[in-house]
Amino acid sequence: MLKLDQIRAAESRLLLQTYDRSPILFVTGEGVHIVDENGTKYLDLLSGIGVNALGYGHPVIEEAIARQSRALIHTSNLYYHEGQAELALRLTERTGLDRVFFANTGTEAWEGAMKLARVYAGLKRSEGVNIGTKFLALEQSFHGRTFGAVSTTFKEKYREPFGPVVPGVEFVRFNDVADLRAKFSSEVCAILVEAIQGEGGVRPLTQEFFAEARALATSTGALLIADEIQSGMGRTGKWCAYQHYGILPDITTLAKPLAGGLPLGAVLCTEEVSRVMHAGMHGTTFGGGPLACAVAIAVIDYMERENLLAHATEVGDYFQQQLRSLATRHNAIIDVRGKGLMIAAELDSAELAKLIVAEMLKRHILINCTSDTVLRFLPPYILEHAHVDIAIQALDEIFTEHAGVLSATTTAAHTTANPAGGPHHG
Ligand SMILES: *Cc1c(COP(=O)(O)O)cnc(C)c1O
Protein backbone atom coordinates (compact mmCIF):
# COMPACT_ATOMS: atom_id res chain seq x y z
CA MET A 1 0.00 0.00 0.00
CA LEU A 2 2.61 2.45 1.17
CA LYS A 3 4.76 1.53 -1.78
CA LEU A 4 2.06 2.41 -4.31
CA ASP A 5 1.38 5.69 -2.52
CA GLN A 6 5.07 6.57 -2.59
CA ILE A 7 5.30 5.81 -6.28
CA ARG A 8 2.21 7.89 -7.01
CA ALA A 9 3.61 10.83 -5.08
CA ALA A 10 6.99 10.55 -6.81
CA GLU A 11 5.46 10.23 -10.27
CA SER A 12 3.24 13.22 -9.71
CA ARG A 13 6.37 15.28 -9.06
CA LEU A 14 8.71 13.72 -11.60
CA LEU A 15 6.79 12.60 -14.70
CA LEU A 16 5.00 14.53 -17.40
CA GLN A 17 1.40 14.04 -16.43
CA THR A 18 0.36 12.41 -19.70
CA TYR A 19 -1.45 9.42 -18.18
CA ASP A 20 -4.42 9.10 -15.88
CA ARG A 21 -3.32 5.80 -14.35
CA SER A 22 -5.47 3.45 -12.31
CA PRO A 23 -4.00 3.22 -8.81
CA ILE A 24 -2.68 -0.32 -9.16
CA LEU A 25 0.91 -1.46 -8.93
CA PHE A 26 1.56 -4.57 -10.99
CA VAL A 27 4.61 -6.63 -10.16
CA THR A 28 4.29 -9.96 -11.97
CA GLY A 29 2.01 -12.16 -13.99
CA GLU A 30 1.30 -15.65 -15.20
CA GLY A 31 -0.76 -16.82 -18.16
CA VAL A 32 -3.79 -14.56 -18.62
CA HIS A 33 -3.35 -13.07 -15.14
CA ILE A 34 -1.38 -10.06 -14.01
CA VAL A 35 -0.64 -9.75 -10.30
CA ASP A 36 -0.40 -6.63 -8.14
CA GLU A 37 1.90 -5.88 -5.19
CA ASN A 38 -0.55 -7.53 -2.75
CA GLY A 39 -0.63 -10.75 -4.72
CA THR A 40 -4.10 -10.03 -6.14
CA LYS A 41 -4.58 -11.66 -9.55
CA TYR A 42 -6.33 -9.74 -12.32
CA LEU A 43 -7.82 -11.45 -15.36
CA ASP A 44 -6.29 -9.40 -18.16
CA LEU A 45 -8.63 -8.96 -21.15
CA LEU A 46 -6.61 -6.04 -22.50
CA SER A 47 -3.08 -7.54 -22.51
CA GLY A 48 -1.24 -4.24 -22.24
CA ILE A 49 -3.35 -2.78 -25.08
CA GLY A 50 -3.05 -5.74 -27.40
CA VAL A 51 0.64 -6.40 -26.77
CA ASN A 52 1.05 -9.46 -24.54
CA ALA A 53 -0.13 -11.99 -27.12
CA LEU A 54 1.08 -14.98 -25.09
CA GLY A 55 0.08 -13.48 -21.75
CA TYR A 56 2.53 -13.22 -18.86
CA GLY A 57 5.55 -15.27 -17.86
CA HIS A 58 5.46 -17.35 -21.00
CA PRO A 59 8.38 -19.83 -21.02
CA VAL A 60 8.92 -19.43 -24.79
CA ILE A 61 9.40 -15.68 -24.38
CA GLU A 62 11.50 -15.98 -21.24
CA GLU A 63 13.70 -18.56 -22.90
CA ALA A 64 14.20 -16.42 -26.04
CA ILE A 65 15.08 -13.37 -23.93
CA ALA A 66 17.49 -15.32 -21.76
CA ARG A 67 19.18 -17.00 -24.70
CA GLN A 68 19.46 -13.89 -26.88
CA SER A 69 20.46 -11.55 -24.05
CA ARG A 70 23.37 -13.85 -23.23
CA ALA A 71 24.41 -13.84 -26.89
CA LEU A 72 23.80 -10.26 -28.08
CA ILE A 73 21.34 -7.48 -27.24
CA HIS A 74 22.25 -4.69 -29.64
CA THR A 75 24.48 -4.25 -32.69
CA SER A 76 23.07 -1.16 -34.51
CA ASN A 77 21.99 -1.44 -38.11
CA LEU A 78 25.56 -0.94 -39.33
CA TYR A 79 26.17 -4.70 -39.09
CA TYR A 80 24.33 -7.98 -39.64
CA HIS A 81 22.78 -10.16 -36.97
CA GLU A 82 20.81 -13.37 -37.34
CA GLY A 83 17.36 -12.09 -36.47
CA GLN A 84 16.13 -9.64 -39.13
CA ALA A 85 16.18 -11.90 -42.18
CA GLU A 86 14.70 -14.81 -40.17
CA LEU A 87 11.88 -12.62 -38.92
CA ALA A 88 11.38 -10.89 -42.29
CA LEU A 89 11.00 -14.31 -43.93
CA ARG A 90 8.27 -15.24 -41.46
CA LEU A 91 6.49 -11.88 -41.85
CA THR A 92 6.59 -11.76 -45.65
CA GLU A 93 5.33 -15.36 -45.90
CA ARG A 94 2.39 -14.52 -43.65
CA THR A 95 1.38 -11.05 -44.87
CA GLY A 96 1.69 -11.49 -48.64
CA LEU A 97 4.10 -8.54 -48.87
CA ASP A 98 7.71 -8.71 -50.02
CA ARG A 99 10.05 -6.59 -47.92
CA VAL A 100 10.37 -5.32 -44.38
CA PHE A 101 11.81 -2.36 -42.52
CA PHE A 102 12.04 -2.84 -38.74
CA ALA A 103 11.23 -0.02 -36.35
CA ASN A 104 10.63 0.06 -32.60
CA THR A 105 7.03 1.08 -32.12
CA GLY A 106 3.75 1.41 -33.94
CA THR A 107 3.95 5.11 -34.57
CA GLU A 108 7.49 4.79 -35.89
CA ALA A 109 6.43 2.04 -38.29
CA TRP A 110 3.62 4.32 -39.45
CA GLU A 111 6.06 7.17 -40.07
CA GLY A 112 8.04 4.78 -42.25
CA ALA A 113 4.90 3.90 -44.20
CA MET A 114 4.03 7.56 -44.79
CA LYS A 115 7.58 8.37 -45.87
CA LEU A 116 7.55 5.40 -48.27
CA ALA A 117 4.31 6.68 -49.82
CA ARG A 118 5.71 10.19 -50.34
CA VAL A 119 8.98 9.01 -51.83
CA TYR A 120 7.21 6.46 -54.02
CA ALA A 121 4.92 9.20 -55.38
CA GLY A 122 8.04 11.22 -56.12
CA LEU A 123 9.48 8.34 -58.10
CA LYS A 124 6.22 7.96 -60.04
CA ARG A 125 6.27 11.68 -60.86
CA SER A 126 9.82 11.35 -62.14
CA GLU A 127 8.53 8.54 -64.36
CA GLY A 128 5.88 10.86 -65.77
CA VAL A 129 2.89 9.78 -63.66
CA ASN A 130 0.57 12.56 -62.50
CA ILE A 131 0.40 11.99 -58.74
CA GLY A 132 0.43 14.33 -55.75
CA THR A 133 1.47 14.19 -52.10
CA LYS A 134 -1.88 14.13 -50.31
CA PHE A 135 -2.98 11.48 -47.80
CA LEU A 136 -6.56 10.37 -47.36
CA ALA A 137 -7.10 9.07 -43.83
CA LEU A 138 -10.37 8.00 -42.23
CA GLU A 139 -12.49 9.61 -39.58
CA GLN A 140 -12.03 7.95 -36.15
CA SER A 141 -8.60 6.70 -37.29
CA PHE A 142 -5.70 6.26 -34.87
CA HIS A 143 -2.15 5.89 -36.18
CA GLY A 144 0.04 7.10 -33.31
CA ARG A 145 1.51 10.16 -31.62
CA THR A 146 4.55 11.25 -33.61
CA PHE A 147 4.01 14.13 -36.03
CA GLY A 148 3.19 12.18 -39.18
CA ALA A 149 1.08 9.67 -37.33
CA VAL A 150 -0.80 12.26 -35.33
CA SER A 151 -1.45 14.25 -38.52
CA THR A 152 -3.31 11.23 -39.89
CA THR A 153 -5.12 10.58 -36.59
CA PHE A 154 -8.67 11.91 -36.57
CA LYS A 155 -9.21 13.14 -33.01
CA GLU A 156 -8.60 16.87 -32.86
CA LYS A 157 -7.47 16.78 -29.22
CA TYR A 158 -4.44 14.71 -30.29
CA ARG A 159 -3.50 17.09 -33.14
CA GLU A 160 -4.64 20.64 -32.35
CA PRO A 161 -2.33 21.46 -29.41
CA PHE A 162 0.72 20.58 -31.52
CA GLY A 163 -0.16 22.41 -34.70
CA PRO A 164 0.83 22.96 -37.36
CA VAL A 165 0.92 19.21 -37.97
CA VAL A 166 2.09 17.59 -41.23
CA PRO A 167 0.06 19.21 -44.02
CA GLY A 168 -1.72 17.39 -46.83
CA VAL A 169 -4.04 15.09 -44.89
CA GLU A 170 -7.77 14.94 -45.54
CA PHE A 171 -10.23 12.79 -43.60
CA VAL A 172 -12.86 10.66 -45.30
CA ARG A 173 -16.08 9.68 -43.54
CA PHE A 174 -15.75 6.15 -42.24
CA ASN A 175 -17.09 3.53 -44.66
CA ASP A 176 -18.61 6.28 -46.85
CA VAL A 177 -17.80 5.20 -50.41
CA ALA A 178 -19.27 8.36 -51.96
CA ASP A 179 -17.11 10.57 -49.71
CA LEU A 180 -14.03 8.49 -50.58
CA ARG A 181 -14.74 8.86 -54.31
CA ALA A 182 -15.36 12.60 -53.92
CA LYS A 183 -12.12 13.21 -52.04
CA PHE A 184 -9.91 10.91 -54.11
CA SER A 185 -7.94 12.44 -57.01
CA SER A 186 -4.55 12.32 -58.66
CA GLU A 187 -3.41 14.60 -55.81
CA VAL A 188 -3.56 11.59 -53.46
CA CYS A 189 -0.39 9.54 -52.89
CA ALA A 190 -1.95 7.10 -50.42
CA ILE A 191 -5.20 6.00 -48.80
CA LEU A 192 -4.67 5.12 -45.15
CA VAL A 193 -6.92 2.63 -43.39
CA GLU A 194 -7.18 0.25 -40.47
CA ALA A 195 -9.04 -2.84 -41.72
CA ILE A 196 -10.61 -2.86 -38.26
CA GLN A 197 -10.28 0.45 -36.46
CA GLY A 198 -8.94 -0.11 -32.96
CA GLU A 199 -9.03 3.07 -30.87
CA GLY A 200 -11.90 4.21 -33.10
CA GLY A 201 -14.11 1.57 -31.47
CA VAL A 202 -13.33 -1.81 -33.09
CA ARG A 203 -15.05 -0.84 -36.32
CA PRO A 204 -14.43 -3.00 -39.40
CA LEU A 205 -14.27 -1.52 -42.88
CA THR A 206 -17.05 -2.71 -45.15
CA GLN A 207 -15.98 -4.97 -47.99
CA GLU A 208 -17.31 -2.38 -50.43
CA PHE A 209 -15.33 0.51 -48.93
CA PHE A 210 -12.08 -1.44 -48.66
CA ALA A 211 -12.42 -2.74 -52.24
CA GLU A 212 -13.15 0.77 -53.52
CA ALA A 213 -10.08 2.15 -51.71
CA ARG A 214 -8.00 -0.60 -53.35
CA ALA A 215 -9.46 0.10 -56.79
CA LEU A 216 -9.09 3.90 -56.57
CA ALA A 217 -5.47 3.66 -55.42
CA THR A 218 -4.63 1.21 -58.20
CA SER A 219 -6.31 3.45 -60.80
CA THR A 220 -3.80 6.29 -60.29
CA GLY A 221 -0.72 4.54 -58.91
CA ALA A 222 -1.45 5.74 -55.38
CA LEU A 223 -0.85 3.33 -52.50
CA LEU A 224 -3.23 1.58 -50.17
CA ILE A 225 -1.73 1.46 -46.68
CA ALA A 226 -3.25 -0.74 -43.99
CA ASP A 227 -2.34 -0.09 -40.36
CA GLU A 228 -2.34 -3.53 -38.71
CA ILE A 229 -0.52 -2.39 -35.58
CA GLN A 230 -3.47 -3.41 -33.38
CA SER A 231 -5.33 -5.88 -35.62
CA GLY A 232 -2.32 -7.72 -37.02
CA MET A 233 -0.18 -10.70 -35.96
CA GLY A 234 -3.04 -13.08 -35.31
CA ARG A 235 -5.25 -10.86 -33.17
CA THR A 236 -8.27 -11.35 -35.45
CA GLY A 237 -7.59 -15.02 -36.22
CA LYS A 238 -5.58 -14.21 -39.34
CA TRP A 239 -2.09 -12.77 -39.53
CA CYS A 240 -3.55 -9.52 -40.85
CA ALA A 241 -7.13 -8.29 -40.69
CA TYR A 242 -7.05 -7.35 -44.39
CA GLN A 243 -6.85 -11.08 -45.15
CA HIS A 244 -10.47 -11.41 -44.04
CA TYR A 245 -11.31 -9.22 -47.06
CA GLY A 246 -9.05 -10.84 -49.62
CA ILE A 247 -7.51 -7.42 -50.25
CA LEU A 248 -3.75 -6.85 -50.34
CA PRO A 249 -2.47 -3.37 -49.44
CA ASP A 250 0.78 -2.01 -50.88
CA ILE A 251 2.10 -1.30 -47.40
CA THR A 252 1.19 -2.53 -43.95
CA THR A 253 2.47 -1.79 -40.45
CA LEU A 254 2.79 -4.16 -37.51
CA ALA A 255 3.78 -3.58 -33.90
CA LYS A 256 1.81 -4.17 -30.71
CA PRO A 257 1.91 -7.99 -30.31
CA LEU A 258 4.80 -8.51 -32.73
CA ALA A 259 7.48 -9.29 -30.13
CA GLY A 260 5.19 -10.55 -27.37
CA GLY A 261 5.76 -7.55 -25.10
CA LEU A 262 9.09 -6.17 -26.26
CA PRO A 263 8.98 -3.02 -28.38
CA LEU A 264 9.20 -3.82 -32.09
CA GLY A 265 7.51 -2.38 -35.16
CA ALA A 266 7.63 -3.29 -38.83
CA VAL A 267 6.70 -1.72 -42.15
CA LEU A 268 6.07 -4.18 -44.96
CA CYS A 269 5.69 -3.31 -48.62
CA THR A 270 5.59 -4.76 -52.11
CA GLU A 271 8.71 -5.26 -54.20
CA GLU A 272 7.44 -2.47 -56.47
CA VAL A 273 7.26 0.08 -53.63
CA SER A 274 10.52 -1.07 -52.05
CA ARG A 275 12.59 0.03 -55.03
CA VAL A 276 12.41 3.69 -53.92
CA MET A 277 14.39 3.16 -50.74
CA HIS A 278 18.14 3.40 -50.89
CA ALA A 279 20.89 3.23 -48.30
CA GLY A 280 20.80 6.15 -45.92
CA MET A 281 17.27 7.38 -46.78
CA HIS A 282 15.63 6.01 -43.66
CA GLY A 283 16.90 4.33 -40.52
CA THR A 284 16.82 3.73 -36.79
CA THR A 285 19.36 2.97 -34.08
CA PHE A 286 17.35 0.40 -32.16
CA GLY A 287 14.83 -0.92 -34.70
CA GLY A 288 15.01 -4.64 -35.40
CA GLY A 289 17.56 -5.32 -32.70
CA PRO A 290 18.68 -8.91 -31.98
CA LEU A 291 16.68 -9.23 -28.75
CA ALA A 292 13.32 -8.05 -30.11
CA CYS A 293 13.76 -10.10 -33.30
CA ALA A 294 14.62 -13.27 -31.39
CA VAL A 295 11.49 -12.92 -29.27
CA ALA A 296 9.27 -12.16 -32.28
CA ILE A 297 10.56 -15.29 -34.05
CA ALA A 298 9.91 -17.38 -30.94
CA VAL A 299 6.37 -15.96 -30.63
CA ILE A 300 5.50 -16.63 -34.28
CA ASP A 301 6.89 -20.17 -34.17
CA TYR A 302 4.98 -20.88 -30.96
CA MET A 303 1.74 -19.50 -32.44
CA GLU A 304 2.21 -21.73 -35.46
CA ARG A 305 3.02 -24.82 -33.39
CA GLU A 306 0.08 -24.32 -31.06
CA ASN A 307 -2.37 -23.28 -33.77
CA LEU A 308 -3.12 -20.04 -31.96
CA LEU A 309 -4.81 -18.40 -34.95
CA ALA A 310 -7.48 -21.08 -34.97
CA HIS A 311 -7.66 -20.84 -31.19
CA ALA A 312 -8.13 -17.05 -31.31
CA THR A 313 -10.94 -17.51 -33.84
CA GLU A 314 -12.66 -20.21 -31.80
CA VAL A 315 -12.43 -18.51 -28.39
CA GLY A 316 -13.21 -15.12 -29.97
CA ASP A 317 -16.38 -16.51 -31.58
CA TYR A 318 -17.41 -17.96 -28.23
CA PHE A 319 -16.72 -14.61 -26.52
CA GLN A 320 -18.84 -12.73 -29.06
CA GLN A 321 -21.62 -15.28 -28.82
CA GLN A 322 -21.68 -14.91 -25.02
CA LEU A 323 -21.69 -11.10 -25.34
CA ARG A 324 -24.62 -11.34 -27.78
CA SER A 325 -26.53 -13.47 -25.37
CA LEU A 326 -25.73 -10.89 -22.66
CA ALA A 327 -27.08 -8.20 -24.99
CA THR A 328 -30.45 -9.98 -25.17
CA ARG A 329 -30.70 -9.62 -21.37
CA HIS A 330 -29.30 -6.09 -21.09
CA ASN A 331 -30.63 -3.39 -23.43
CA ALA A 332 -27.69 -1.10 -22.67
CA ILE A 333 -25.55 -3.25 -25.01
CA ILE A 334 -26.48 -1.97 -28.46
CA ASP A 335 -23.88 -3.78 -30.57
CA VAL A 336 -21.34 -6.60 -30.33
CA ARG A 337 -18.68 -6.81 -33.03
CA GLY A 338 -15.11 -7.73 -33.88
CA LYS A 339 -13.04 -10.60 -35.21
CA GLY A 340 -11.10 -13.21 -33.31
CA LEU A 341 -9.86 -11.71 -30.07
CA MET A 342 -10.43 -8.08 -31.11
CA ILE A 343 -13.90 -7.60 -29.70
CA ALA A 344 -16.20 -4.76 -28.72
CA ALA A 345 -19.49 -4.34 -26.93
CA GLU A 346 -20.95 -0.92 -27.65
CA LEU A 347 -23.16 0.60 -24.96
CA ASP A 348 -25.83 3.27 -25.18
CA SER A 349 -24.04 5.57 -22.73
CA ALA A 350 -20.49 6.80 -22.14
CA GLU A 351 -21.17 7.17 -18.43
CA LEU A 352 -22.24 3.55 -18.22
CA ALA A 353 -19.19 2.37 -20.19
CA LYS A 354 -16.91 4.12 -17.71
CA LEU A 355 -18.80 2.61 -14.81
CA ILE A 356 -18.55 -0.90 -16.26
CA VAL A 357 -14.76 -0.62 -16.69
CA ALA A 358 -14.42 0.57 -13.08
CA GLU A 359 -16.71 -2.16 -11.76
CA MET A 360 -14.81 -4.82 -13.71
CA LEU A 361 -11.58 -3.50 -12.19
CA LYS A 362 -13.11 -3.89 -8.71
CA ARG A 363 -13.73 -7.52 -9.65
CA HIS A 364 -10.11 -7.79 -10.81
CA ILE A 365 -10.83 -7.97 -14.54
CA LEU A 366 -9.04 -5.60 -16.90
CA ILE A 367 -10.92 -4.22 -19.92
CA ASN A 368 -11.03 -0.74 -21.35
CA CYS A 369 -13.33 1.72 -22.97
CA THR A 370 -12.54 3.35 -26.29
CA SER A 371 -14.46 5.77 -28.48
CA ASP A 372 -16.49 6.80 -25.35
CA THR A 373 -19.14 4.08 -25.44
CA VAL A 374 -17.25 0.99 -26.57
CA LEU A 375 -16.07 -1.71 -24.17
CA ARG A 376 -12.98 -3.19 -25.79
CA PHE A 377 -11.53 -6.66 -25.26
CA LEU A 378 -8.00 -7.45 -26.53
CA PRO A 379 -7.11 -10.52 -24.46
CA PRO A 380 -3.99 -12.65 -24.83
CA TYR A 381 -4.33 -15.31 -27.54
CA ILE A 382 -4.06 -18.03 -24.88
CA LEU A 383 -7.49 -17.12 -23.46
CA GLU A 384 -9.79 -20.08 -22.70
CA HIS A 385 -13.57 -20.46 -22.51
CA ALA A 386 -13.42 -20.54 -18.71
CA HIS A 387 -11.92 -17.02 -18.67
CA VAL A 388 -14.65 -15.79 -21.00
CA ASP A 389 -17.26 -17.28 -18.66
CA ILE A 390 -15.77 -15.41 -15.69
CA ALA A 391 -15.85 -12.11 -17.61
CA ILE A 392 -19.41 -12.65 -18.87
CA GLN A 393 -20.63 -13.57 -15.38
CA ALA A 394 -19.08 -10.39 -13.98
CA LEU A 395 -20.57 -8.24 -16.75
CA ASP A 396 -23.96 -9.86 -16.23
CA GLU A 397 -23.89 -9.02 -12.51
CA ILE A 398 -22.73 -5.44 -13.13
CA PHE A 399 -25.34 -4.79 -15.82
CA THR A 400 -28.01 -6.30 -13.58
CA GLU A 401 -27.02 -4.03 -10.70
CA HIS A 402 -27.11 -1.04 -12.99
CA ALA A 403 -30.42 -2.09 -14.57
CA GLY A 404 -31.75 -2.22 -10.98
CA VAL A 405 -31.04 1.49 -10.71
CA LEU A 406 -32.61 2.10 -14.11
CA SER A 407 -35.77 0.11 -13.52
CA ALA A 408 -36.17 1.84 -10.14
CA THR A 409 -36.47 5.17 -11.94
CA THR A 410 -38.76 3.61 -14.54
CA THR A 411 -40.95 2.16 -11.78
CA ALA A 412 -41.01 5.51 -9.98
CA ALA A 413 -42.11 7.20 -13.20
CA HIS A 414 -44.84 4.59 -13.64
CA THR A 415 -46.04 5.01 -10.08
CA THR A 416 -46.39 8.76 -10.46
CA ALA A 417 -47.95 8.43 -13.92
CA ASN A 418 -50.38 5.76 -12.86
CA PRO A 419 -52.76 7.63 -10.51
CA ALA A 420 -53.56 10.09 -13.32
CA GLY A 421 -54.25 7.71 -16.19
CA GLY A 422 -54.22 4.19 -14.77
CA PRO A 423 -57.11 2.20 -13.40
CA HIS A 424 -57.94 2.62 -9.69
CA HIS A 425 -57.94 -0.38 -7.48
CA GLY A 426 -59.76 -0.54 -4.18
C1 LIG B 1 -1.35 1.59 -30.94
C2 LIG B 1 -1.53 1.93 -32.37
C3 LIG B 1 -0.60 2.75 -33.04
C4 LIG B 1 0.57 3.39 -32.33
O1 LIG B 1 1.45 2.46 -31.82
P1 LIG B 1 2.53 2.90 -30.70
O2 LIG B 1 3.39 1.69 -30.51
O3 LIG B 1 1.75 3.28 -29.48
O4 LIG B 1 3.27 4.05 -31.25
C5 LIG B 1 -0.82 2.99 -34.38
N1 LIG B 1 -1.87 2.45 -35.03
C6 LIG B 1 -2.76 1.65 -34.42
C7 LIG B 1 -3.88 1.06 -35.21
C8 LIG B 1 -2.63 1.38 -33.07
O5 LIG B 1 -3.54 0.62 -32.45
Side-chain angles (χ1 to χ4, degrees):
M1 269 319 250
L2 196 62
K3 220 174 143 202
L4 172 60
D5 288 345
Q6 285 168 335
I7 289 169
R8 291 183 78 182
E11 282 204 359
S12 74
R13 270 187 298 115
L14 296 169
L15 300 194
L16 293 190
Q17 296 298 295
T18 48
Y19 301 110
D20 183 19
R21 301 192 208 278
S22 297
I24 309 173
L25 175 59
F26 285 123
V27 292
T28 187
E30 198 186 341
V32 296
H33 294 100
I34 182 164
V35 180
D36 73 10
E37 85 215 275
N38 305 312
T40 304
K41 281 167 85 178
Y42 290 71
L43 173 59
D44 188 358
L45 301 181
L46 193 58
S47 55
I49 320 188
V51 168
N52 301 316
L54 304 187
Y56 298 92
H58 200 286
V60 155
I61 291 178
E62 290 182 353
E63 194 278 325
I65 291 174
R67 177 173 34 81
Q68 189 57 48
S69 67
R70 280 194 294 266
L72 191 64
I73 291 174
H74 176 77
T75 56
S76 89
N77 280 302
L78 297 176
Y79 311 103
Y80 292 95
H81 67 78
E82 295 171 321
Q84 288 197 11
E86 284 272 337
L87 179 55
L89 178 65
R90 284 163 175 76
L91 295 180
T92 52
E93 279 174 353
R94 285 164 181 80
T95 58
L97 292 166
D98 302 316
R99 286 183 186 262
V100 187
F101 173 84
F102 289 109
N104 299 281
T105 63
T107 199
E108 190 193 352
W110 191 248
E111 296 292 319
M114 289 179 69
K115 286 174 76 177
L116 257 179
R118 282 271 175 87
V119 69
Y120 182 71
L123 174 79
K124 297 294 270 189
R125 277 194 298 279
S126 76
E127 293 172 349
V129 178
N130 172 27
I131 190 163
T133 57
K134 211 167 117 177
F135 292 108
L136 290 186
L138 298 193
E139 295 192 356
Q140 276 77 55
S141 63
F142 182 88
H143 298 297
R145 307 292 197 140
T146 49
F147 260 113
V150 90
S151 309
T152 57
T153 289
F154 182 66
K155 258 193 199 158
E156 276 202 346
K157 71 169 184 187
Y158 295 157
R159 276 185 285 123
E160 286 286 82
F162 308 103
V165 295
V166 175
V169 181
E170 192 173 5
F171 292 97
V172 171
R173 277 196 295 278
F174 185 68
N175 275 339
D176 186 332
V177 172
D179 197 40
L180 176 65
R181 284 198 191 121
K183 286 171 180 162
F184 187 81
S185 71
S186 61
E187 279 305 301
V188 173
C189 72
I191 303 174
L192 316 175
V193 302
E194 296 155 80
I196 302 176
Q197 287 190 331
E199 305 305 304
V202 188
R203 295 177 208 279
L205 291 182
T206 59
Q207 182 73 38
E208 190 197 5
F209 186 91
F210 207 172
E212 184 65 16
R214 177 66 281 177
L216 286 171
T218 304
S219 72
T220 63
L223 301 180
L224 177 63
I225 307 184
D227 182 346
E228 294 274 352
I229 290 165
Q230 187 164 147
S231 56
M233 291 314 290
R235 165 68 50 199
T236 69
K238 291 194 186 283
W239 290 104
C240 287
Y242 59 72
Q243 291 164 335
H244 291 287
Y245 297 80
I247 289 171
L248 186 65
D250 302 288
I251 300 179
T252 195
T253 51
L254 301 170
K256 287 189 165 96
L258 179 55
L262 268 73
L264 182 64
V267 194
L268 288 98
C269 67
T270 59
E271 190 65 33
E272 163 65 14
V273 171
S274 75
R275 68 196 172 98
V276 296
M277 277 293 184
H278 303 296
M281 280 176 74
H282 189 55
T284 159
T285 300
F286 290 109
L291 187 61
C293 285
V295 175
I297 291 165
V299 169
I300 292 171
D301 290 352
Y302 179 82
M303 285 177 62
E304 204 80 79
R305 254 189 343 266
E306 298 296 318
N307 246 319
L308 281 191
L309 262 57
H311 181 78
T313 303
E314 196 272 324
V315 177
D317 286 352
Y318 176 71
F319 203 152
Q320 275 202 56
Q321 179 196 317
Q322 294 307 99
L323 284 170
R324 287 216 173 80
S325 131
L326 201 63
T328 63
R329 298 196 292 283
H330 304 288
N331 298 336
I333 306 174
I334 57 173
D335 191 27
V336 173
R337 57 177 177 263
K339 277 268 185 218
L341 291 171
M342 183 173 185
I343 300 172
E346 182 161 4
L347 308 186
D348 60 3
S349 130
E351 206 183 324
L352 177 62
K354 246 189 172 160
L355 178 104
I356 302 280
V357 173
E359 287 295 316
M360 288 291 270
L361 188 62
K362 280 190 204 158
R363 287 158 201 256
H364 308 134
I365 302 173
L366 305 184
I367 63 170
N368 98 325
C369 168
T370 189
S371 192
D372 299 333
T373 54
V374 178
L375 302 181
R376 180 173 50 166
F377 309 92
L378 298 170
Y381 305 168
I382 56 171
L383 195 77
E384 299 290 346
H385 284 219
H387 306 126
V388 175
D389 294 342
I390 289 166
I392 294 292
Q393 169 85 38
L395 285 169
D396 201 4
E397 286 170 18
I398 296 165
F399 276 111
T400 303
E401 271 168 36
H402 181 79
V405 177
L406 253 190
S407 64
T409 18
T410 320
T411 314
H414 269 278
T415 323
T416 39
N418 242 1
H424 283 272
H425 294 290

